[in-house]
Amino acid sequence: MKKVGLLCAWLMVAGASGPALAEVGQPGRLLASNCFQCHGTNGRGSAFDPVAGLSASETYKKLKEMQLGNEGNGIMPRHTMVYTDAQLQQIANWFASQK
């Protein structure tokens, strides 16, 4: 009986995680969600500079310059410090795909 109960519990957890993973499965989207507060969902915010649809290479370059302390002020350089180069590229690619 206990084995059946554990199997059912495992199947419920496995099944529940499928749709959640599908929602954030797009490369860069989960990383970019940190940006949504200021730049808006999908980068189309009006309070700060919109970043949707900008060139991925230019966005990556700006993010990297902020990370190195060569560009930007306020909170942006601090946000970029926690990401690897690959993660910055994923963020840039995500926003470039949002047109």
Side-chain angles (χ1 to χ4, degrees):
M1 285 300 245
K2 287 185 180 184
K3 288 182 182 179
V4 172
L6 288 174
L7 178 61
C8 289
W10 181 83
L11 288 173
M12 288 174 46
V13 170
S17 64
L21 291 175
E23 292 175 16
V24 295
Q26 297 167 309
R29 185 182 190 287
L30 184 59
L31 294 169
S33 67
N34 188 41
C35 311
F36 294 173
Q37 183 69 26
C38 297
H39 294 283
T41 303
N42 298 332
R44 294 187 192 100
S46 59
F48 292 88
D49 294 337
V51 292
L54 299 177
S55 156
S57 61
E58 186 62 27
T59 301
Y60 172 79
K61 181 181 173 188
K62 286 183 179 183
L63 290 170
K64 192 64 187 168
E65 288 297 317
M66 288 178 201
Q67 189 180 55
L68 297 172
N70 298 330
E71 187 174 315
N73 55 27
I75 200 162
M76 280 303 301
R78 295 181 197 284
H79 274 291
T80 59
M81 291 173 69
V82 300
Y83 296 109
T84 66
D85 289 345
Q87 290 172 324
L88 289 176
Q89 189 63 61
Q90 287 180 346
I91 292 168
N93 290 342
W94 165 257
F95 283 123
S97 73
Q98 305 306 299
K99 298 184 180 186

